[in-house]
Amino acid sequence: DSRKGCSLFISSIKILHRSYPDLCQRIKVISIGDSTLSRSEINNLIDLEDHGYVERESLLYLYSIADALIVTSLEDSGPLMVNECIALGTFVISTPVGISNDLITESNGIVMKGISDLDIVKSIVMLFGYHENKDFLDLRKNSKNAISEFLTFEGYINKLLDSLELKFK
């Protein structure tokens, strides 16, 4: 589906590989859903782990172990995947469409200036600058420790209700 921006992501990986080959060696792309990325053969340029279609629990686990979710959508940025990743402490890089402008702040992600392969490359390079930031690393550590509480919808709701009770006491 062209509106998902997969061709932009593939193009950005090609640019990243040409312009920042050392950086490309440090990146692993975890792909879910259809096989568009696998068929594109970007695995020749970057480490690609394709999971295909996954169950909900696996999806949340993959979100939690990722350093960032990259949303390349041309029309809509979630909101569910953006919400889930922010709740899990996963950094979100998104095109400037949909709910992304409302949910993503400097502390939890990057909203790209435009929708192009170069915008994606710039954002990926910026992400590696965030890795040097202690607050970012602490956020990722805490989210990885908390993932077991978010693996089911019921667990997520219970965690949310617990946090609301604490706020109102």
Side-chain angles (χ1 to χ4, degrees), residues 145-157:
N145 291 338
I147 184 56
S148 62
E149 297 174 30
F150 287 96
L151 286 181
T152 65
F153 181 72
E154 292 81 10
Y156 177 79
I157 295 299

Side-chain angles (χ1 to χ4, degrees), residues 34-167:
D34 66 27
S35 60
T36 301
L37 294 183
S38 295
R39 288 188 320 242
S40 74
E41 299 183 6
I42 63 167
N43 60 314
N44 296 325
L45 307 175
I46 201 162
D47 187 4
L48 175 66
E49 185 177 301
D50 188 357
H51 288 264
Y53 291 97
V54 297
E55 297 294 324
R56 186 110 192 101
E57 290 81 11
S58 297
L59 177 66
L60 293 176
Y61 171 74
L62 292 171
Y63 285 161
S64 76
I65 64 168
D67 288 327
L69 169 73
I70 301 178
V71 180
T72 58
S73 178
L74 306 177
E75 296 178 16
D76 178 53
S77 287
L80 189 56
M81 64 184 164
V82 174
N83 287 334
E84 291 167 337
C85 285
I86 289 172
L88 290 168
T90 301
F91 200 79
V92 178
I93 296 173
S94 179
T95 54
V97 296
I99 198 86
S100 64
N101 288 310
D102 297 325
L103 295 179
I104 299 171
T105 66
E106 286 184 16
S107 64
N108 64 13
I110 299 169
V111 177
M112 296 176 222
K113 299 281 186 234
I115 304 176
S116 75
D117 49 9
L118 290 176
D119 288 310
I120 295 169
V121 170
K122 288 176 191 174
S123 298
I124 292 171
V125 171
M126 285 176 63
L127 171 66
F128 278 83
Y130 282 92
H131 274 279
E132 305 302 320
N133 180 319
K134 184 185 179 319
D135 292 337
F136 176 80
L137 295 174
D138 288 344
L139 176 69
R140 295 300 303 135
K141 180 182 172 190
N142 292 337
S143 70
K144 288 180 183 184
N145 291 338
I147 184 56
S148 62
E149 297 174 30
F150 287 96
L151 286 181
T152 65
F153 181 72
E154 292 81 10
Y156 177 79
I157 295 299
N158 287 335
K159 180 72 173 173
L160 180 61
L161 291 174
D162 288 346
S163 69
L164 290 175
E165 275 186 16
L166 292 174
K167 278 186 172 179

